[in-house]
Amino acid sequence: MFIKGMRVLAVAVALSATCAAGAASAEWRRAETTHFIVYGDVSERTIRTYAQKVERFDALLRAYYPIVVDHEIPKLEIFIAEGRRDMEEAYPGIGASVGGYYSPNSGRIHAVVDTSAISGDVVMFHEYAHHFMFQMVSNAYPSWFVEGFAEYYSTADVRPDRIQFGRHHPGRINSLSGGANTWARMEDVLTWRYTASGRYRASSYYAQAWAMTHYFMSTPERTRMLSDYLNAVVRGEESVAAMQAATGRTPAQLQTDVRLYASGAIDMLTPQIDIAEPEVTVTSLSPAESHMAWLDLRLDREPVKQEPPDDDGRTQKSEAQKAREAREDAEHRADLIRDAFAAADRYPGERMGMLVEARAHRLSDDPEAAFTALEPLLTEGSTDADALRLAGMVLLDLAEKETGEGATGRRRAASAYLARAYEADPLDFRVYLGLNRARQGQARYPTDNDISTLEVAVKLAPQSFDARLRLGHAYMARSLNAEAVAVLLPVSNSPHRSSYTRRAREMIATARGEAAPVDEAPPAEDETERPSDAGDDA
């Protein structure tokens, strides 16, 4: 489910009461591997062991799904939370049952996992499977398989001397144990239409997606059927017809097959693959970086422009509930700004303090003060990619407040800072989105270069729905409708409906010359949480 633009997975865990964070005694570490950067206020041994575990999980996925790319893949940032207090620091007000989340929004692609939760590994492996799937060449998979793939690998047992996957999933089995009448129709699962009125529970969908994936992965013959089906859907064939053609079974027959399979013994696999011990480099963060680690993350996630809630009558929320949620959002934002200024005052002259202060000023709609806070980091020879990118974004904020030559000059200066940020860190997709923002609405947009810039952003961050929507718009402006559909399909197929998925579906219909689709917003898996979209930074 999505919370404030984040993909989260809820788990039932006993969490301690929230208390004030002991930031003064924090001693954060950073562990870097081939595919991850892990942060945490934990011991060197703990962070090293965790970094090796997630790197081994990545190796497992790559052994079965090799990803061939012509560019370096940016590393996923993972933040270790140890219990309820840390989860509140990462995201104030997050539900007590949330064991972790994955955020692919434009502010910063990252994951947070509560390692004290019994299902901490399940959360992380599920979310990383989503992150990994977007890197596949054919990533426009149907909604049920997007979730089924993540569920299938989420129960992996990853150890230095052994890896097992396809293991039993007690929660999903429990959801399937209510009898045939409690299962969603196979036609609905294949096209995924569960409704806000509660025709089918979201938990049932996750369970059936897991059971179907496990069924097809259980034998080579079924795996070939699944491959034939997925290839057909990616080519644009209708899901139900493609499944019947691949399996030779009607939807009702296939549902019976899956039910019988799920009611029997579930076989796990222990692959005989040689995974070398992952190399890990551990460093310590400075006192200022340790104190502001959670603040830094929250500031990157908070949208600069506050947008009204995405609600077109489908959420079934009362006006009182909407008003309460709006007040809570405003309070969290005000607390974040206040805490950011206080932390920056505590570390005057420190790089992290300057970055935090600048972003607090941006959230306060004071870009002039934000740029002033950054100036010590913007010397002629500076290679501070974060400061240079942020300076470019602040200047674009200022450009929006001006007209004529003033606005043009601001955009030109912003592009110069973003170009320097690109030189310092060419793997940061946010730089390319910033360059795109500087060009939007300008003469001859989108040019070939504008499209190339967005193509690189999507290549570096295929998980970013914002980047995909921007590229889709640019393609359609140049009548490249087939290319637009291809880049938008992974967004439209997301089982977690949001403004991103709705816009993608509408754009695809326009590109194909079809009528606008009718869609219903699904309930969150844990209906105590409230889904919404995050704003964009770039």
Side-chain angles (χ1 to χ4, degrees):
M1 105 195 80
F2 281 93
I3 296 180
K4 296 296 289 181
M6 301 182 303
R7 174 72 175 82
V8 303
L9 191 64
V11 295
V13 295
L15 299 171
S16 60
T18 304
C19 58
S25 60
E27 187 178 351
W28 281 66
R29 291 178 172 82
R30 178 184 189 272
E32 185 168 0
T33 67
T34 303
H35 298 101
F36 301 92
I37 300 175
V38 183
Y39 299 92
D41 182 14
V42 295
S43 70
E44 178 175 348
R45 179 179 179 181
T46 296
I47 199 169
R48 183 182 297 277
T49 299
Y50 191 81
Q52 289 176 328
K53 178 189 292 186
V54 291
E55 189 65 45
R56 287 190 178 95
F57 182 68
D58 174 88
L60 165 66
L61 295 180
R62 289 180 195 279
Y64 285 88
Y65 311 97
I67 296 176
V68 179
V69 295
D70 58 0
H71 64 280
E72 186 176 348
I73 298 175
K75 300 179 182 184
L76 176 64
E77 293 183 304
I78 301 175
F79 289 76
I80 294 177
E82 291 192 304
R84 176 66 175 165
R85 183 180 70 183
D86 281 351
M87 291 299 291
E88 280 284 339
E89 285 287 310
Y91 190 88
I94 198 166
S97 64
V98 176
Y101 69 79
Y102 166 65
S103 175
N105 71 53
S106 293
R108 189 171 183 176
I109 296 178
H110 67 277
V112 174
V113 59
D114 181 2
T115 54
S116 74
I118 295 173
S119 298
D121 284 350
V122 172
V123 172
M124 190 62 248
F125 293 161
H126 178 107
E127 301 304 346
Y128 186 65
H130 282 309
H131 182 84
F132 182 90
M133 177 179 274
F134 272 103
Q135 300 172 58
M136 297 179 184
V137 174
S138 297
N139 52 27
Y141 295 122
S143 300
W144 74 266
F145 186 68
V146 172
E147 287 305 330
F149 179 87
E151 288 288 275
Y152 180 73
Y153 285 102
S154 71
T155 58
D157 182 17
V158 179
R159 304 181 186 184
D161 60 343
R162 187 200 69 189
I163 294 179
Q164 289 182 332
F165 65 95
R167 301 169 75 233
H168 187 267
H169 201 312
R172 301 314 180 200
I173 287 290
N174 184 61
S175 296
L176 299 174
S177 61
N181 291 335
T182 65
W183 282 50
R185 294 189 320 141
M186 182 59 69
E187 294 90 337
D188 291 317
V189 175
L190 290 174
T191 55
W192 198 224
R193 297 289 182 268
Y194 66 90
T195 67
S197 60
R199 181 180 179 189
Y200 303 120
R201 295 176 303 161
S203 58
S204 296
Y205 171 63
Y206 278 80
Q208 287 183 234
W210 167 78
M212 285 175 62
T213 303
H214 213 295
Y215 168 81
F216 280 113
M217 296 285 204
S218 63
T219 69
E221 180 185 9
R222 291 172 185 164
T223 301
R224 285 192 294 272
M225 291 179 184
L226 176 63
S227 179
D228 291 343
Y229 159 76
L230 292 174
N231 288 333
V233 172
V234 169
R235 289 195 303 268
E237 296 183 25
E238 194 274 328
S239 182
V240 175
M243 180 62 80
Q244 187 160 346
T247 63
R249 306 288 282 173
T250 67
Q253 290 171 329
L254 179 59
Q255 176 151 301
T256 298
D257 295 341
V258 175
R259 284 188 59 247
L260 290 174
Y261 174 80
S263 65
I266 298 296
D267 294 329
M268 67 182 72
L269 299 178
T270 306
Q272 301 302 309
I273 54 178
D274 184 22
I275 298 178
E277 181 170 328
E279 294 186 7
V280 183
T281 301
V282 179
T283 55
S284 295
L285 303 190
S286 69
E289 291 169 333
S290 295
H291 177 72
M292 291 183 268
W294 290 126
L295 264 178
D296 180 52
L297 186 64
R298 288 166 54 197
L299 286 164
D300 270 348
R301 194 180 64 238
E302 185 72 16
V304 175
K305 294 181 179 179
Q306 290 180 288
E307 301 290 342
D310 176 45
D311 177 30
D312 51 11
R314 303 171 306 160
T315 61
Q316 299 187 342
K317 293 179 181 177
S318 67
E319 291 303 316
Q321 185 180 7
K322 294 175 188 176
R324 175 177 58 80
E325 291 176 359
R327 286 195 302 271
E328 291 175 352
D329 288 343
E331 290 170 1
H332 288 316
R333 185 182 180 91
D335 289 343
L336 175 59
I337 293 171
R338 183 198 64 232
D339 292 346
F341 282 134
D345 287 342
R346 181 172 176 174
Y347 295 95
E350 292 266 5
R351 172 184 178 274
M352 181 60 79
M354 296 178 198
L355 292 173
V356 164
E357 181 184 354
R359 282 175 290 172
H361 282 304
R362 277 195 85 195
L363 295 182
S364 303
D365 195 26
D366 191 351
E368 290 277 11
F371 193 84
T372 299
L374 286 172
E375 281 187 307
L377 303 176
L378 304 177
T379 57
E380 184 176 350
S382 173
T383 58
D384 189 328
D386 289 330
L388 294 168
R389 176 180 55 80
L390 184 54
M393 303 312 299
V394 169
L395 288 169
L396 290 176
D397 295 342
L398 286 166
E400 292 180 356
K401 295 177 177 290
E402 301 180 16
T403 58
E405 288 300 317
T408 300
R410 296 289 194 187
R411 275 194 295 272
R412 189 177 297 118
S415 296
Y417 277 111
L418 290 166
R420 290 173 62 187
Y422 159 78
E423 292 292 338
D425 185 5
L427 295 182
D428 188 345
F429 78 105
R430 297 172 296 182
V431 173
Y432 300 88
L433 293 186
L435 290 167
N436 171 255
R437 180 184 167 193
R439 281 285 301 145
Q440 287 179 353
Q442 304 307 298
R444 298 181 295 109
Y445 179 85
T447 64
D448 288 347
N449 188 63
D450 294 324
I451 287 180
S452 295
T453 298
L454 286 172
E455 287 175 337
V456 174
V458 172
K459 182 178 289 188
L460 292 174
Q463 304 85 4
S464 171
F465 286 4
D466 175 41
R468 286 179 175 274
L469 286 175
R470 293 195 201 192
L471 180 55
H473 277 294
Y475 278 147
M476 291 174 69
R478 296 284 297 275
S479 298
L480 300 171
N481 290 357
E483 290 84 348
V485 170
V487 80
L488 292 169
L489 275 173
V491 184
S492 69
N493 286 353
S494 171
H496 306 278
R497 296 299 184 228
S498 67
S499 66
Y500 287 121
T501 58
R502 189 174 66 253
R503 280 183 284 163
R505 286 165 60 81
E506 291 168 353
M507 290 169 65
I508 288 172
T510 299
R512 289 174 169 170
E514 300 171 349
V518 177
D519 198 10
E520 293 185 86
E525 185 181 11
D526 176 356
E527 296 188 6
T528 64
E529 303 301 340
R530 48 191 176 98
S532 66
D533 287 331
D536 304 326
D537 176 65

